[in-house]
Amino acid sequence: MVVASLFLSIRGRINFLQLERYSDRSESGFRVFFERDFDFLSFNIALLKPHLKGKTALAFDPSYISKSGKMTPGAGYFWSGCAAKSKWGLEFNGIAVLDLIRKTAFHLVGFQTVEILEQEKQLEFYARKILENKEELKDVSKFLVADAYFSKYTFIEPMLEAGFQVISRLRKDSVLRHFYTGEQKKGKGRKKMYTNKVDYKDIDKSCARLVRDDKKEKIYTLKAHSKSLKREINIVIVYTRNSKEEFTHKTYFSTDLTLEWDEILEMYRQRFQIEFLYRDAKQFTGLNHCQARSEKKLHFHWNMSLTAINLAKVEHWIALKDQEPNADVPFSMSDIKTHYHNELLLKRFISMFGINSELAKNKRKIDQLLDFGKIGC
């Protein structure tokens, strides 16, 4: 609890020296503590379960972490979405739960891209690490949402075997084949299973169902066979009119054949909420600040950084959102950080100057000072 409160209170960089400066514990004590094992997954599930009352889905997404030097385990070139190129550093892979009713994401657990087995492909590594906690994750949701990079057989097949259903997006030129429903030829030989390929420029309206048609967007849904995934999938093709008045398309899919088209789109579009988790953690709770080179210390720091965002949402945002479920209630990590930083300083002043914080006139002043500097005030 001391570490969590410090992650929410410290302004600037959050490293071992800063943790010492803002507390009564030593830097070496924090270094030793960060080496210990802690079950962040069980902690976050216990924290969030009373508050997750609607539709949920799991989201998985890697995030680039800047790191100089070559001695840190796992250091290498990883894709940075902000820079739109591969950069030297580390990669953290987060698993979050999407609250589809409140339209937000909560961190569950994450792991570093390190110690990939011999002959193991990177997508196989991701799948193996996720499935280490499959039972706990399935208790949260059976749906796993990932971006288009993960729409490959080596990732999706292990997920399906473990009991998950995957929602993702296909490449624009993915080969999809319509199922043959006509009369089969008599005699020996394999029965005809497929007809022509799905033509994205001239979609076969006898196989696809038009579910939305307006000036800016057309949406078709169908079931077809994916050559790359080697299975039947539930497909939603969204045509959007661009600035040149031409339609471009994106193809979303679900391995669950019973999902409706709007549910598939809702889950995939909510996937981006995990990016806001990373953004808030990098800006306010020190996701990029760990200076350790130990795998365990990095694991603890990264997961604590994102768990601090969970604590802030549960304490300061969920109740406000539930009061106005249909309104856009903003979550400001900046205001919450300012509040806890003011509280940390006030507690130090009160203890050093011997101020009685229980007096009525002091309580009013303390409440005013806690909100000093908040954007929302």
Side-chain angles (χ1 to χ4, degrees):
M1 293 309 298
V2 169
V3 173
S5 64
L6 289 172
F7 269 71
L8 287 169
S9 305
I10 295 175
R11 286 197 173 277
R13 297 190 68 82
I14 300 176
N15 51 37
F16 295 122
L17 187 58
Q18 284 282 82
L19 291 170
E20 179 189 45
R21 287 170 175 165
Y22 282 88
S23 70
D24 56 359
R25 288 168 169 78
S26 67
E27 177 186 357
S28 60
F30 284 111
R31 288 184 180 274
V32 171
F33 184 77
F34 274 45
E35 193 72 23
R36 295 179 182 177
D37 292 325
F38 184 77
D39 190 351
F40 281 98
L41 178 58
S42 296
F43 176 84
N44 283 315
I45 289 175
L47 172 69
L48 299 170
K49 211 159 191 180
H51 304 284
L52 296 173
K53 298 175 182 178
K55 294 189 294 183
T56 61
L58 300 171
F60 174 72
D61 195 47
S63 179
Y64 167 78
I65 306 291
S66 60
K67 188 75 169 179
S68 59
K70 298 181 180 180
M71 302 305 293
T72 307
Y77 284 96
F78 297 99
W79 180 258
S80 168
C82 292
K85 64 179 182 180
S86 293
K87 294 175 64 179
W88 182 268
L90 307 173
E91 186 177 62
F92 173 77
N93 309 286
I95 305 171
V97 56
L98 302 177
D99 187 330
L100 301 175
I101 303 298
R102 300 188 183 99
K103 294 181 171 56
T104 191
F106 299 96
H107 176 67
L108 292 178
V109 72
F111 55 89
Q112 185 185 355
T113 301
V114 67
E115 295 181 353
I116 299 177
L117 301 177
E118 190 177 353
Q119 306 295 326
E120 186 178 45
K121 297 178 181 178
Q122 194 159 1
L123 286 174
E124 293 172 335
F125 164 78
Y126 292 140
R128 173 171 62 84
K129 294 295 288 184
I130 293 171
L131 295 180
E132 286 179 359
N133 301 301
K134 63 181 180 181
E135 298 304 328
E136 294 89 340
L137 293 174
K138 278 198 291 185
D139 283 342
V140 178
S141 178
K142 70 173 184 177
F143 296 107
L144 177 68
V145 188
D147 66 18
Y149 174 74
F150 297 92
S151 60
K152 298 182 176 62
Y153 182 82
T154 51
F155 178 82
I156 289 178
E157 193 61 24
M159 295 293 110
L160 296 176
E161 290 176 359
F164 290 101
Q165 298 293 341
V166 181
I167 293 94
S168 187
R169 184 166 62 87
L170 293 171
R171 287 174 42 164
K172 289 188 177 182
D173 59 350
S174 294
V175 177
L176 300 173
R177 296 178 290 185
H178 294 295
F179 288 98
Y180 179 74
T181 56
E183 186 178 350
Q184 297 286 350
K185 291 182 180 180
K186 296 180 180 180
K188 297 180 179 179
R190 184 179 179 182
K191 303 299 182 183
K192 187 174 181 180
M193 297 179 65
Y194 314 111
T195 58
N196 55 314
K197 296 178 184 177
V198 174
D199 187 351
Y200 298 106
K201 294 182 180 179
D202 184 19
I203 195 161
D204 187 348
K205 295 179 178 59
S206 65
C207 298
R209 180 166 58 98
L210 180 65
V211 292
R212 178 177 294 172
D213 186 6
D214 55 40
K215 293 180 180 180
K216 294 184 179 180
E217 193 176 62
K218 289 183 179 180
I219 301 178
Y220 288 90
T221 180
L222 69 153
K223 293 179 176 64
H225 182 269
S226 169
K227 186 176 180 180
S228 61
L229 301 181
K230 305 177 184 179
R231 65 176 48 253
E232 182 182 4
I233 54 176
N234 197 354
I235 298 164
V236 180
I237 306 175
V238 180
Y239 292 88
T240 308
R241 197 184 296 273
N242 60 22
S243 58
K244 297 180 181 180
E245 295 299 313
E246 298 173 345
F247 278 106
T248 59
H249 75 275
K250 289 185 177 179
T251 307
Y252 306 91
F253 77 91
S254 165
T255 57
D256 187 343
L257 302 178
T258 63
L259 276 182
E260 292 295 326
W261 65 271
D262 53 346
E263 293 178 296
I264 296 172
L265 288 182
E266 180 187 24
M267 287 187 195
Y268 189 84
R269 288 170 175 173
Q270 290 294 329
R271 183 201 67 83
F272 201 77
Q273 291 294 329
I274 195 174
E275 304 287 357
F276 294 140
L277 274 181
Y278 294 145
R279 179 201 64 185
D280 287 342
K282 288 181 178 180
Q283 290 181 356
F284 300 107
T285 55
L287 186 63
N288 265 332
H289 296 168
C290 187
Q291 296 176 336
R293 294 188 304 194
S294 160
E295 290 179 39
K296 285 189 174 182
K297 290 187 178 74
L298 289 168
H299 177 84
F300 188 97
H301 182 103
W302 291 337
N303 280 282
M304 178 55 72
S305 173
L306 287 154
T307 298
I309 306 293
N310 286 354
L311 293 168
K313 283 185 177 180
V314 168
E315 180 67 20
H316 297 277
W317 181 77
I318 284 182
L320 295 176
K321 178 63 178 175
D322 289 349
Q323 288 175 9
E324 302 178 81
N326 297 321
D328 184 14
V329 180
F331 170 71
S332 175
M333 195 61 206
S334 176
D335 280 354
I336 293 169
K337 188 84 180 215
T338 299
H339 174 93
Y340 281 110
H341 181 71
N342 292 344
E343 184 179 44
L344 182 69
L345 292 179
L346 279 171
K347 284 181 177 178
R348 181 58 60 94
F349 293 153
I350 289 168
S351 64
M352 291 185 69
F353 293 106
I355 299 170
N356 186 354
S357 60
E358 296 302 317
L359 293 177
K361 63 177 182 179
N362 287 343
K363 281 187 176 182
R364 288 194 298 271
K365 297 296 182 183
I366 289 171
D367 290 339
Q368 292 173 7
L369 288 170
L370 286 175
D371 293 333
F372 178 74
K374 288 172 65 173
I375 297 172
C377 294

